[in-house]
Amino acid sequence: MERAVTDVPPKSVEPRRGPRRPWLLAVAAAPLLFTAYLLISRQLGVNSDGASNALQAREMLEGNLLLSGWTVTDVSFYTNELLLFMLVELVYGFHGDTTHATAALVFTLVVLLVAAAAKGRTTGREAAARVAVAVAIVAVPPLGHAAITLLTSPDHTGTAIPLLATWLVLERARPGRWLPLAVAVLLAWAQVADPLVMYIGVLPLIVVSGWRAARERSWRGLDARLVLAAVGSVVLAQLALTLMRAAGGFGAHAAEAKLAEFSSLGRHLWLGVRVVAVDYGAYPPDRHGPADTLMSAVHLVGLLAAAAALVVVVARALRGASDDRLAELVAVGILVNLGAFVVSALPVDLLSARQVVAVLPLGAVLAGRVWGPRLASLPRAVPVAAVVGVLLAAELVGHAAARGRPGHAEDVARWLDARGLRYGLGEYWNANNITLLTSGRVAVRPVVAADRVAAYRWESKVDWYDAAAHDATFLVLDTRGTGARAEAVAVAQFGQPAERHEFDGAVVLVYGKDLLVGLPAYCVPETVPDIRDCPQHGVALF
């Protein structure tokens, strides 16, 4: 007897799938991304900010783990980027390429964490689409102000690493009593490195968790404990910094928290729009050449996608229609960062892009989580995505292959090294960078040259200015700004130099005496007779 047709099981139709492990593609691409970022960073030269961090990491490797005697800026980078500098120096050494390798490593890690945060718990085609959208937005830094912000020295760029890592733990770990404690410790760890985390991490956690608890009318669950964890993280961070300072660790300057005048808010808002466009690569005046300028239109699409995703996530959260905690945390972080930027005194010029650089990785995460699922459902998405991917890859290769100009003070470093001049003073942008460029063979210690030449307690160590231990015989002054005035101040204070040598953007005055003898100190904002008179404070979060 023949088998009935109805007994034959229907032929199943396999749904279209993406890569089973899309994150493997991102990890496989990491060495290529690192190489491209390294080549781009090398085009930008070595600056004193990144060189200072390299010097601090070197001291930590030599046993000064708490950086005793150091005064850092208002951001220590201690538990984040300095650890990566230490790793690079262990593997690669202490030289002019150290800052470039570390910057490339930092940004590669940022891209990988953006991909992981965008993917979330999804798999298959949707996961691939989420990762593709996020990586397309964040992975190709254009040359210009964006590259200076992202690929020269720590400028809040790496802060996305501990922040996104914290949100991934919160999303993927099993809920339990230990989870809020883990979140508190991770946020405290991040705040020790960068107080900005209090604004883009702690406040968002309080707002989102508080809103969710109020919406559920329950203050006994995970959300209530997360609010306590957020507050507790600030206490933990401040306690850790206080204990380190009490143990003789580094001092720091207080973060600037000055509000802008009301009349400046409109200008700050417009500058805010421009610097965000700079970070996203969507600012045409920051581009060079027709093809590069046209690519800003592609990046503009990414910026608009991130902005639209921000609106979508906020609207869903306000309606109570969202269950995506990570997206809500990221969205509030973006809003707080941008709002604080506009109402503060921080906006100055396009280099202020560093103050809102976190908006780039956070926005990329949002865009991936919101638009990735919709992209995955479109039947013709793959060809379009392939074309965009080819354009972005070509742009990244073009930027990596571009020729850069010699960095500032590279010629000065070579000359000092060749002449055997081993210890001297230099204005900030002609000091720690020269020390790094010569692998420490020439030590140039930072000074300011305003009314008087004075030791600069900013990214410096107190015993550098000890006349009993060192003999500083030259002074490097910057001629790109008020060089003539600075030289006149130096001559009035130290007398006529035995030699004077001009370079591109700098002048070197060589003396036959120790310039450290009687050298006053500039302690920001006051000048004191001796650097040991400078007040020392632990890092203040607020």
Side-chain angles (χ1 to χ4, degrees):
M1 183 175 179
E2 293 184 2
R3 190 176 184 181
V5 174
T6 54
D7 292 338
V8 179
K11 186 177 180 180
S12 61
V13 178
E14 280 292 321
R16 287 175 297 177
R17 296 181 181 273
R20 291 179 62 86
R21 295 288 187 269
W23 58 270
L24 286 176
L25 295 177
V27 173
L32 299 177
L33 292 175
F34 174 84
T35 302
Y37 300 150
L38 177 61
L39 293 174
I40 294 172
S41 181
R42 285 173 175 170
Q43 300 171 36
L44 306 172
V46 176
N47 69 40
S48 283
D49 284 343
S52 300
N53 299 132
L55 288 170
Q56 292 156 6
R58 186 190 190 192
E59 287 232 352
M60 293 172 72
L61 287 172
E62 292 175 348
N64 187 7
L65 293 178
L66 295 180
L67 293 177
S68 298
W70 276 84
T71 296
V72 301
T73 68
D74 54 351
V75 181
S76 74
F77 306 111
Y78 184 73
T79 52
N80 189 17
E81 285 94 337
L82 286 192
L83 300 181
L84 296 177
F85 267 99
M86 291 173 69
L87 175 62
V88 169
E89 291 180 24
L90 273 173
V91 175
Y92 192 42
F94 177 80
H95 43 70
D97 214 32
T98 300
T99 58
H100 303 315
T102 307
L105 176 60
V106 166
F107 199 61
T108 301
L109 291 174
V110 169
V111 173
L112 292 178
L113 281 164
V114 164
K119 175 185 174 294
R121 293 178 173 271
T122 60
T123 58
R125 185 181 177 90
E126 180 180 337
R130 285 182 173 213
V131 171
V133 170
V135 170
I137 291 174
V138 75
V140 185
L143 302 178
H145 288 89
I148 293 173
T149 300
L150 299 170
L151 289 171
T152 54
S153 57
D155 263 331
H156 305 297
T157 303
T159 301
I161 296 173
L163 182 64
L164 289 177
T166 303
W167 296 157
L168 283 169
V169 169
L170 179 58
E171 179 179 60
R172 299 190 179 188
R174 292 182 180 180
R177 292 185 176 182
W178 65 270
L179 183 56
L181 177 59
V183 169
V185 171
L186 288 171
L187 284 178
W189 181 274
Q191 288 171 77
V192 170
D194 189 351
L196 178 65
V197 174
M198 190 177 70
Y199 299 95
I200 65 175
V202 174
L203 286 179
L205 186 58
I206 293 173
V207 170
V208 170
S209 300
W211 171 257
R212 283 171 166 257
R215 192 176 64 197
E216 297 296 329
R217 297 182 180 180
S218 172
W219 292 96
R220 294 179 179 272
L222 176 62
D223 290 303
R225 294 197 296 271
L226 287 175
V227 171
L228 294 177
V231 176
S233 73
V234 179
V235 177
L236 283 175
Q238 193 63 56
L239 178 61
L241 290 164
T242 301
L243 290 175
M244 283 193 292
R245 184 62 197 144
F250 62 86
H253 295 274
E256 185 176 358
K258 183 180 179 182
L259 293 177
E261 297 180 359
F262 183 79
S263 60
S264 302
L265 295 183
R267 181 176 62 83
H268 287 188
L269 181 61
W270 173 234
L271 182 58
V273 172
R274 292 162 62 204
V275 296
V276 170
V278 164
D279 286 334
Y280 275 78
Y283 189 63
D286 201 34
R287 295 284 190 151
H288 306 283
D292 199 41
T293 302
L294 286 175
M295 282 304 298
S296 66
V298 177
H299 289 268
L300 178 61
V301 173
L303 172 56
L304 294 176
L310 175 64
V311 173
V312 169
V313 170
V314 171
R316 288 175 180 172
L318 291 176
R319 295 198 312 266
S322 170
D323 195 37
D324 191 344
R325 184 193 302 272
L326 191 149
E328 292 174 9
L329 290 168
V330 167
V332 176
I334 291 174
L335 292 174
V336 171
N337 196 183
L338 293 177
F341 178 81
V342 171
V343 302
S344 73
L346 295 175
V348 177
D349 52 27
L350 291 181
L351 288 176
S352 301
R354 68 186 187 278
Q355 307 292 354
V356 292
V357 67
V359 171
L360 171 61
L362 298 184
V365 169
L366 276 190
R369 292 176 80 100
V370 170
W371 306 122
R374 302 191 184 190
L375 182 66
S377 65
L378 297 176
R380 298 183 179 180
V382 173
V384 175
V387 171
V388 174
V390 169
L391 288 174
L392 291 173
E395 181 186 18
L396 183 60
V397 171
H399 290 166
R403 281 191 171 186
R405 297 179 178 178
H408 176 66
E410 288 184 9
D411 52 351
V412 178
R414 286 192 298 270
W415 184 83
L416 290 170
D417 197 10
R419 284 288 305 272
L421 294 168
R422 297 303 176 207
Y423 209 93
L425 308 175
E427 289 188 278
Y428 182 77
W429 298 111
N430 301 272
N432 289 341
N433 54 329
I434 296 176
T435 304
L436 179 62
L437 286 167
T438 61
S439 298
R441 291 186 300 274
V442 179
V444 184
R445 305 315 188 188
V447 296
V448 294
D451 297 329
R452 298 191 70 189
V453 177
Y456 194 19
R457 287 303 274 141
W458 183 276
E459 298 285 53
S460 62
K461 191 179 180 184
V462 65
D463 62 11
W464 286 353
Y465 305 96
D466 185 356
H470 305 290
D471 188 11
T473 58
F474 63 86
L475 174 64
V476 186
L477 299 174
D478 201 316
T479 58
R480 295 172 298 179
T482 58
R485 184 177 183 277
E487 186 172 352
V489 168
V491 170
Q493 183 172 342
F494 300 122
Q496 289 293 336
E499 300 178 38
R500 180 184 185 277
H501 299 270
E502 289 191 15
F503 298 87
D504 183 17
V507 61
V508 177
L509 307 181
V510 181
Y511 286 86
K513 61 181 180 180
D514 187 0
L515 303 181
L516 294 174
V517 177
L519 185 71
Y522 180 65
C523 306
V524 188
E526 60 180 341
T527 301
V528 296
D530 188 272
I531 195 163
R532 289 180 290 271
D533 297 328
C534 286
Q536 288 292 289
H537 308 286
V539 176
L541 297 179
F542 51 85

